[in-house]
Every structure is written in structure tokens, then in C-alpha cells.
Amino acid sequence: MTLRAHIGGPRARVLAGALALLGPCFLGLSTSQRAAEAQVRVPRIAVGPFEGERAAVTRGMVGSVFSDHVGEIELVSASEFNAAAERAGVTGRSDADAMAQLARPLRLDQVVVGNLERRPRGYRLQLRVLRGRDGQVAGTAAWEVDRLEEVSALGTEIWDQLQAYLRPEGVTTLQGGNRSTFQSPNERVQGGASGLSGPPPSLQPSPPDAGLGLGFLSARVGGGTASRSWRVPVLGERTPRGYENDLYGELQAGLALRYVFSARRYGFGLDAHVAVPVGLSSQGRSPDGRVVTLSTSAVQALIGAQFAHRPRDGGGQYLTVGMVYSTFTLDTSQLAPEQRVASTTYIGLRVAGEGHLPLYANAGFELDAIMGGEFRLVGIGTDLKKSFGQNPETTLGFGAWFGLGVRLDRFVSGLGFRGTAEWVRYRTTYAGPATVGTGADAVDDYTRFVFAMTYELGAGESARPSAPRRGPAGRPARNEGDRATGDPFGGR
């Protein structure tokens, strides 16, 4: 005997109709719930490799900041990230290709990487948020601390600055069969009606500061060797008169007092420089053939207004307009008449420019190629006029120098050294009455090889950003994503 269940009657038919009507509603509610869950998906992020001082410790400190916000984000552990990096063969790399390669298997929306750089007066922490899909920069921020331990006190500030860049990527809603993809604030800037491509201006790569800026007081002290070669053809004489000194010591000192502005990248002030010989002596032959010592002295003084510029990526340019005074005194009264020459004096206008081309530069060390040139428009002293022509033409002087310079801001703020080879030539054409004889085209050359120590007093603050320093009391940090400075990790 077979038993069959039978549902019938008016009540059963009403219940069946109600279920038929409510079924689509439940199905629509389930779909809406899934869409809502997708719409509120939290970003999945990881803290990637760090560079610089105490990289592992700093990475751990920053990682603990994000671990306090699990729920607002989904955080991939450092061990899982490191294991994936090892499998992919990109351990320690933080470039765009490596990050994009790791983001796919780990399903990362963003990766946070950073650098802790030692500065002369503390540390500078720089963080950047990279998009998972292509490894490009979504935003950056930077802070300065006096001690490494203060990084752990930046927790709230780090989260506040970077959370705007932490967003889920990919499909988030499905409405009417159309796909809606989330765009971060930076992507909306570069897209939209304008149709522009590439990152917005605020995220364009730019180099970090390479060392400190200009000091309000710049000092230079050094010394080296110098030589002089002077030839003056005299009308009616077969052999030109002259003076040769191939090697003598010389000390140099310089001082520049400046008003600095624009984060100490520009300066304007007064520059002075003096050079005096050490152990300078001369010899000649008296009329009876004896070798005699000639009293000799010299000095060169330069003073003028100087405009200086030190770019953020290192190097510098210096333009000076001022006066020059140069004298070389030589007593030749003991020599035969045909060997006598006059003491030399030049005084007049000087325009000089010097450029420093950075060969290598970072925040604590810089190596520059130094190149400079000058023009001098001077008059000559009375001794030269009396001896070789009372009506000389204006004397023109030309000079050039080149060498190497180094800045050691990592060890002492503003300290540097430079070595240069310098050359200056004066040319004078004489005319008019003369006691010795009218001189033709006279050439006076000076050559110097100088090594000097330099120091920029007051340059120590220039490597700091314009925002206040970040300390343990929670002072505000500098958000580089809001400024037109770009990615501090970009190409140099």
C-alpha cells in the first residue's frame, strides 16, 4: 500500500501563491547583499621592503601601525609577503615591476614601501603607496624625527596621511549589467573629461634634496703653489724683458656673507677673497755677474657682490661682480739696466662665474666638478707707465679654473673641500714716453694650484622641509602627496 501526501484546499493554494511571489524578492535581496558586500570591500595591502638606516626595524614599526587598523584594511603579513618575494625572485626590490609581480598572487590593492635616511640632525622617514595593479605611485608622505625611536610615535600621523591612498581596486559594483570600477583620487585627477594621461603633476617624480643648502656665512681657507711668467717686448731691444718664477707657495682665504632665501637655495651678499705668497723670493745677476737676491712681495684681493644658487639636486652656480686689486712688487735696482723691470699693479673691474656640476650627490655626500671663468678690465700702476709707456691701452684680463669639490654634510653640516687649477692672463699694449723703453704687447700670466677647506655656516637647516619638524609630541608632518614635489623615490 502506497501512502501519498496531498496538500489541498484554499489555504494551501494561498501559501503556494505567496511563496511564488516572495521567491524573486529573496533572490533580489541576496544579490543586493552580495553587491553591497563587494562595494564595501576593504583594501588588501602589505608593507613591502624598506631601504636605508635600520630598514628591518623601521619596516616593523610601520607594519605595526597598519596592524592596528585591521578591519579598515586587510593586511598581508610580512612573512607571507617575503615568501612570495622569494618565490618570485624579487626579494628586497621595491620597483614598479616587482611590486606588480607580487600583487597578483597576493591579490594586493596597494603596497607600502619606504626609506629611512640619516640626516645631519636626525632621520627622515619617507613612505610611498604603490598601486598593486601596476606598481605606480599613488601617494607619498615624509616625516623627520630626532631619534629612531620616535618613528613608533608617528602611528596616528602615518595612518592619517596614507589612508586616503588605500582603496580597493577592481570591480566593486554591478548595476544594470554595467561594470563600475573604483578609481583612487589621484586616478580621477588624471582621467575624467580632460582625457589627460600619465600621473598628475603632484606625483611626477623629482629628486630628493641632495645635501644642505647655502649658509649665511661661507668661509674658505687653503693654500697651494703659484707661478708667474711675464714678458714685455721693448722697442729697439732684440730680447724681451721679463720675469719668471716657476714655483712659490701661496695662502688663500675667502669669506662670503649672504642673505639666503627660498629654503636656502638662493643667496645674495658680499664676497671677499685674498691671496698672499709664502716663501716668495727672486734672484738676478748684478752688473759684475754676482747672483743677488731681489726683494719681492705680492698680494691679490677680490671683493664684490655675489649671487648664489644651490639646486635641490646638488651643485651650484655663483656670479660675482666687483673689484680686483693685484700687485707684484719686485726691486730690480741692483740689476744691469737691460735687465730691470717694473713692479706690477692692476686695479679695476672683475666679473666672474663659477659652476658646480654634481657627479654624485645624496643627502650626506656630494662630489662636484668645478668650472669657472672671469673677465677683468683694469688699469695699471704708475711704475709700469713710467717704465714702458705713459699712455697704455686699457689692460684686459682673462681667467679660467677647473677642479673637483666635495661636500661632507653627513659628517659635519656645511663642511667641504675643493682642489682647483687656476690661470689668469693680463695683456697690455703700451704707448707714449717711457724711461726703460716703449713696450709692445706685454703678457703677464699667473698659474695657481690650490687646495682649500670650505664651510657653510647656517646651512644645516636647509635640508629640512618647510613644514615643522616631527617630534615625540606629535607635531605635524609634511605630506608630500599634497605638494608638487612628486615621488621622493623617483629617478634622479
Side-chain angles (χ1 to χ4, degrees), residues 47-133:
V47 178
F50 273 52
E51 299 176 352
E53 297 280 339
R54 306 288 296 276
V57 175
T58 309
R59 181 187 180 187
M61 291 181 179
V62 175
S64 66
V65 172
F66 292 100
S67 65
D68 293 337
H69 294 272
V70 171
E72 300 174 75
I73 60 172
E74 183 182 356
L75 182 63
V76 174
S77 66
S79 59
E80 184 178 355
F81 184 91
N82 293 341
E86 186 175 356
R87 288 193 299 269
V90 294
T91 302
R93 288 175 51 186
S94 60
D95 55 278
D97 292 339
M99 293 300 98
Q101 185 176 351
L102 289 176
R104 285 189 291 271
L106 294 176
R107 297 179 291 108
L108 296 175
D109 296 305
Q110 286 88 28
V111 181
V112 179
V113 297
N115 177 62
L116 185 69
E117 181 181 42
R118 182 184 290 275
R119 288 297 180 93
R121 299 182 184 179
Y123 296 88
R124 178 180 175 85
L125 174 64
Q126 296 174 316
L127 300 179
R128 56 176 176 160
V129 179
L130 306 181
R131 295 194 300 258
R133 67 174 184 270

Side-chain angles (χ1 to χ4, degrees), residues 140-188:
T140 65
W143 297 264
E144 290 200 6
V145 295
D146 294 316
R147 298 182 304 275
L148 179 62
E149 294 76 13
E150 295 177 14
V151 174
S152 60
L154 295 173
T156 302
E157 187 68 24
I158 291 176
W159 174 255
D160 291 343
Q161 296 289 345
L162 297 185
Q163 65 172 336
Y165 306 112
L166 305 178
R167 294 288 186 272
E169 301 280 353
V171 179
T172 57
T173 60
L174 289 172
Q175 296 179 354
N178 295 327
R179 177 172 296 186
S180 175
T181 303
F182 171 82
Q183 287 184 307
S184 67
N186 294 326
E187 291 174 295
R188 289 195 291 268

